[in-house]
Amino acid sequence: MVHVGIGYDVHQLVVGRKLVLGGVEIPHTKGLDGHSDADALMHAICDAVLGAIGEEDIGHFFPNTDPRWKGVPSKIFLQEAARIVALRNGKIVNIDATVIAQAPKIYPHIKAMKLCIAEALNINMQHVGVKATTNELMGFIGREEGIAAMAVASVDLPE
Ligand code: MG
């Protein structure tokens, strides 16, 4: 039976931080602030995968008060989510995600992001969708105060 999950994440853009999305470091004047590398795209995907199998969210497994997760690459979270799916004898069927960012341009980095995400989840790159859109200059994303990401995951679980 195929189960679907949804994930959403947002982080603040600040000076003096690297911008990492989908495991890819993107040259920019600001980066996302957070306890880990603040990779909003990987965090949204992680929540989608955990949600599909009815598990608690990323904050439960990797609390931002735990020094173990300080500054770590978020691929660790995806690897762990994939491990939990495997423990349940599940199989991640596909991922689809959208990054919402006013700047910088995301498109040139999408192929590399898909590769990183597919590697972390140990699935075929063709089963990973990543798109990007701006927020048409509106709201906090339009003002470049933050970047958001949303994702869905489908997971085949035994009955
Ligand atoms: Mg996050």
Side-chain angles (χ1 to χ4, degrees), residues 33-113:
D33 198 17
H35 186 67
S36 64
D37 63 1
D39 186 332
L41 174 56
M42 281 196 169
H43 294 182
I45 292 170
C46 188
D47 263 356
V49 171
L50 293 171
I53 60 169
E55 281 288 352
E56 301 206 55
D57 67 18
I58 186 171
H60 170 83
F61 288 99
F62 311 104
N64 61 11
T65 49
D66 189 332
R68 271 185 303 167
W69 313 123
K70 187 165 171 53
V72 299
S74 294
K75 73 172 184 200
I76 286 171
F77 307 153
L78 284 189
Q79 286 166 345
E80 179 63 12
R83 195 182 69 83
I84 296 167
V85 169
L87 282 174
R88 301 267 296 270
N89 295 314
K91 183 183 185 309
I92 298 168
V93 179
N94 80 304
I95 300 294
D96 191 23
T98 298
V99 176
I100 310 147
Q102 196 61 47
K105 280 262 170 284
I106 302 298
Y107 182 77
H109 309 284
I110 280 184
K111 198 174 172 193
M113 289 179 184

Side-chain angles (χ1 to χ4, degrees), residues 5-25:
I6 185 172
Y8 171 82
D9 195 30
V10 61
H11 282 265
Q12 205 175 355
L13 272 171
V14 295
V15 290
R17 287 271 302 184
K18 286 178 184 171
L19 176 58
V20 181
L21 283 169
V24 177
E25 195 178 320

